[in-house]
Amino acid sequence: MSYEWILFDADETLFDFKMSESHALNQLLTSCSLDANDTEITGCYKRINEELWREFEQGQISSAELRVERFRRFGREQGLSDDAEELSRRYLGSLAEGAFILAGALDICLYLKEHGYKMAIITNGIKEVQFGRIGRSDLKDFFEAVIVSEDTGFQKPQAGIFEHAFRVIQEERKDKMLMVGDSLTSDIQGGNNIGIDTCWYNPNRLPNETAIVPTYEIHDLAEIKDILEKKG
């Protein structure tokens, strides 16, 4: 068996973050007397949120700043008088409840466990949200470790978060690890930066318009089996 560790991203790799986000945003907007079905309002939040996550990925802001700043900007654009920190607290509480997993996630984790592979999660998410969602899900008992950027001071694609993960799982052999994730700029670039093999989970068959090259590309999580069988 060539690989021994499968390192997973969380959101949009194993967990349906879009569904969790929609659930939390709907609850928040309703509490603010805003129309949760108004695409201009939801689009405003998503635009601001995506801009800030890109800044976070590039190390321009911290997760603590991100979680409040997105609601400060959103509230300003929507004319809300609610305190941004209070909006953030309510939103994150709802987001942590969203333990929705993607199709095939449970099956691949069962397969990996049955075949002796060890698994860990490396995620750029917010600690209270990620542990809340994972702990409520059917995947909660599969992972040797859950590494969240907020705990490390680094975020993917920075090498520091991977170095922290290697210390936690007590593994130094990079040839024994495979990083699986949906983001080229975060998961795949991060794996490439630290020198481990990478697997781009691309269920929508999006074109790769970057210079980032994954070791493998899959369109279904079950295809991880094929990779491991060929390597083994």
Side-chain angles (χ1 to χ4, degrees):
M1 184 167 65
S2 180
Y3 298 122
E4 294 183 6
W5 283 93
I6 310 300
L7 309 177
F8 282 106
D9 170 52
D11 295 330
E12 298 307 316
T13 299
L14 296 175
F15 292 87
D16 190 336
F17 181 76
K18 291 185 177 70
M19 187 177 292
S20 299
E21 182 183 49
S22 178
H23 164 78
L25 189 58
N26 284 355
Q27 288 195 326
L28 182 68
L29 295 179
T30 300
S31 74
C32 294
S33 300
L34 293 174
D35 184 357
N37 295 314
D38 188 323
T39 55
E40 288 191 10
I41 295 174
T42 57
C44 171
Y45 170 78
K46 290 175 182 178
R47 169 178 51 80
I48 292 169
N49 189 50
E50 288 170 3
E51 289 171 355
L52 287 167
W53 275 106
R54 283 195 294 271
E55 291 179 19
F56 173 75
E57 190 175 292
Q58 295 163 8
Q60 297 174 4
I61 60 170
S62 68
S63 62
E65 292 169 328
L66 181 153
R67 67 173 69 189
V68 176
E69 180 61 23
R70 59 186 171 185
F71 291 107
R72 184 174 292 114
R73 296 184 190 181
F74 176 72
R76 187 164 56 240
E77 290 198 23
Q78 296 299 321
L80 297 177
S81 59
D82 304 68
D83 178 71
E85 291 189 4
E86 172 59 18
L87 290 175
S88 177
R89 185 193 66 78
R90 292 184 348 228
Y91 174 77
L92 292 176
S94 296
L95 192 61
E97 297 171 357
F100 309 110
I101 62 175
L102 291 170
L106 180 58
D107 287 343
I108 193 60
C109 287
L110 284 168
Y111 171 88
L112 293 171
K113 184 175 182 179
E114 289 170 359
H115 287 77
Y117 294 94
K118 291 174 283 190
M119 291 168 274
I121 285 178
I122 304 179
T123 174
N124 276 353
I126 293 169
K127 180 179 179 180
E128 64 193 85
V129 171
Q130 299 301 61
F131 278 102
R133 292 166 63 219
I134 294 168
R136 289 178 172 87
S137 79
D138 291 338
L139 303 184
K140 63 181 179 180
D141 297 323
F142 285 99
F143 305 104
E144 303 291 328
V146 176
I147 310 300
V148 183
S149 57
E150 196 170 43
D151 280 335
T152 71
F154 301 96
Q155 61 274 342
K156 295 178 293 182
Q158 294 177 325
I161 190 171
F162 291 92
E163 292 167 349
H164 178 90
F166 299 165
R167 289 192 294 272
V168 170
I169 66 175
Q170 299 182 18
E171 180 60 77
E172 298 179 352
R173 299 170 298 169
K174 294 180 180 179
D175 62 318
K176 296 298 181 183
M177 305 179 206
L178 177 66
M179 178 72 211
V180 181
D182 70 296
S183 172
L184 285 168
T185 56
S186 174
D187 307 311
I188 307 309
Q189 184 63 67
N192 290 352
N193 287 347
I194 199 65
I196 62 176
D197 284 357
T198 56
C199 177
W200 182 32
Y201 175 49
N202 182 19
N204 297 317
R205 299 176 184 267
L206 301 173
N208 182 353
E209 298 176 342
T210 75
I212 302 167
V213 180
T215 312
Y216 312 99
E217 177 179 341
I218 60 173
H219 308 117
D220 188 300
L221 289 172
E223 294 176 57
I224 294 174
K225 301 177 189 178
D226 298 331
I227 292 171
L228 298 177
E229 287 171 3
K230 291 176 182 177
K231 286 290 289 187

